[in-house]
Amino acid sequence: MLLALYSCKEQYTTYSDAEYVMFADSLSTNMVEKSNSRFTVPIASTVARDYDRTFGVEVVDAGSNAVEGKHYRIISNTVTIPAGKTAANVEVEGIYDKIGATDSLGFRLRLVMNSALKWDLYKNSDMTKVVMYKSCPYDRNNFTGYAVLSSLFLRDYPGENTSYQKVVYTEAHPTEPNMVVIRDAFFNGYDITLSFDGSNAAEPRVTMDSDQVLSDEASVFGQILGDNHILCDDSPLYVSYFNSCQRFVVLWLHVYVEKLGEPIGTVGHFYNILEWISDEEAERLKREGF
């Protein structure tokens, strides 16, 4: 219903019960898992009706780098908003085995409907860009073996190291099922442990036990400020996480010093990345003096 309100100087137009149908967002980002490869793209209406409303769904080639039938399938080329409802979902299946570990694949969808239902206030509200990325199952074995450590802590405090990068070796912890041990992690003679939490595929997390020893102070700082131990855990300021597909860990390291169990100072919060490599690549790097 269109209502026009007049005064001697101005004309106001208001809308009541105006019906528009659109995608809920202009960008839909979706994780494709091996165990759960389906996801939904929501649509919405500005009003509810007392009858079902069905609309067509089509793929727009322009702006798409994902191939329908190869990288994904649209479960149905129609979507229905049930009577009494204002929302529904377009169902999509990502084809897990055809999506690469580093792929960011996208395609555009458009609602096929009466042009009167398109809300011109929002440009292209009848279209959305759908992006898919692969999420590999968590497996601790992906994070054992050789890895390259790149560390801003080593850049600032190299100690015995000649570079901010080094090849390290990781092993599965003998008793903790989601923990690995990094041998000679930042400095020779000092191992550290990392724990993996893969319970939420969308938010894979890495944590560390507190008060792990990175090195002695004298070797790295050139002086002793506390108990001659440089201590570390994961930073409370930033999120540390892992990627199972690409086999890397982003570790935000909190480095600090204590004396007789009491904190005397924070050295800082440092970004580090561990990237796992093959045995052959590790041997090549070692021969090159890496």
Side-chain angles (χ1 to χ4, degrees):
M1 179 185 298
L2 178 62
L3 301 177
L5 305 178
Y6 296 90
S7 71
C8 58
K9 294 184 178 179
E10 297 177 293
Q11 176 178 322
Y12 299 91
T13 303
T14 61
Y15 293 89
S16 174
D17 203 29
E19 180 182 8
Y20 301 107
V21 178
M22 68 205 78
F23 282 101
D25 294 292
S26 59
L27 176 65
S28 174
T29 302
N30 304 276
M31 180 174 61
V32 177
E33 301 177 70
K34 188 168 188 176
S35 61
N36 183 21
S37 60
R38 289 196 177 191
F39 57 89
T40 58
V41 182
I43 69 168
S45 172
T46 54
V47 297
R49 294 299 191 197
D50 59 2
Y51 51 85
D52 292 350
R53 289 169 288 170
T54 298
F55 309 99
V57 179
E58 66 178 7
V59 176
V60 180
D61 290 335
S64 300
N65 67 341
V67 179
E68 186 176 8
K70 177 181 179 181
H71 299 118
Y72 69 96
R73 301 183 186 93
I74 307 297
I75 302 304
S76 174
N77 60 1
T78 62
V79 59
T80 299
I81 301 177
K85 303 294 184 180
T86 59
N89 290 307
V90 178
E91 293 191 23
V92 181
E93 180 180 16
I95 303 176
Y96 179 88
D97 291 334
K98 297 298 184 180
I99 301 174
T102 60
D103 285 349
S104 179
L105 297 171
F107 57 94
R108 299 184 71 84
L109 291 178
R110 179 164 53 206
L111 291 172
V112 181
M113 58 188 181
N114 190 309
S115 60
L117 297 175
K118 182 177 177 180
W119 201 350
D120 291 334
L121 180 63
Y122 297 101
K123 185 179 180 181
N124 296 327
S125 62
D126 60 334
M127 298 178 63
T128 189
K129 178 69 176 287
V130 180
V131 175
M132 305 178 298
Y133 67 94
K134 189 171 190 172
S135 175
C136 298
Y138 163 67
D139 183 346
R140 182 175 64 171
N141 292 327
N142 286 332
F143 303 99
T144 59
Y146 288 104
V148 174
L149 168 67
S150 303
S151 171
L152 292 187
F153 179 71
L154 291 182
R155 184 197 65 178
D156 294 348
Y157 300 97
E160 67 201 18
N161 299 290
T162 58
S163 170
Y164 69 93
Q165 293 181 303
K166 62 179 296 192
V167 175
V168 297
Y169 190 77
T170 60
E171 299 174 351
H173 193 279
T175 60
E176 297 295 329
N178 292 312
M179 182 180 287
V180 299
V181 182
I182 306 177
R183 302 298 183 188
D184 300 323
F186 289 80
F187 302 97
N188 292 335
Y190 296 91
D191 302 337
I192 66 169
T193 61
L194 301 179
S195 294
F196 294 81
D197 181 359
S199 59
N200 184 347
E203 296 182 346
R205 296 289 185 250
V206 171
T207 57
M208 296 178 64
D209 290 336
S210 297
D211 300 336
Q212 299 196 53
V213 180
L214 279 182
S215 179
D216 62 277
E217 294 179 69
S219 298
V220 177
F221 298 152
Q223 58 181 320
I224 300 174
L225 302 173
D227 294 329
N228 199 24
H229 289 153
I230 301 174
L231 305 176
C232 69
D233 59 12
D234 54 298
S235 171
L237 303 181
Y238 308 98
V239 173
S240 297
Y241 61 91
F242 66 91
N243 184 303
S244 289
C245 289
Q246 299 179 49
R247 299 182 66 207
F248 70 78
V249 165
V250 169
L251 175 64
W252 278 97
L253 196 69
H254 170 222
V255 181
Y256 55 99
V257 175
E258 292 184 349
K259 188 169 187 178
L260 300 177
E262 296 295 326
I264 64 171
T266 292
V267 181
H269 300 262
F270 300 91
Y271 177 87
N272 307 271
I273 185 167
L274 286 149
E275 301 169 278
W276 273 260
I277 58 176
S278 66
D279 291 354
E280 293 75 18
E281 178 69 5
E283 291 302 319
R284 182 186 68 80
L285 292 174
K286 289 178 182 178
R287 288 195 302 269
E288 295 175 358
F290 190 86

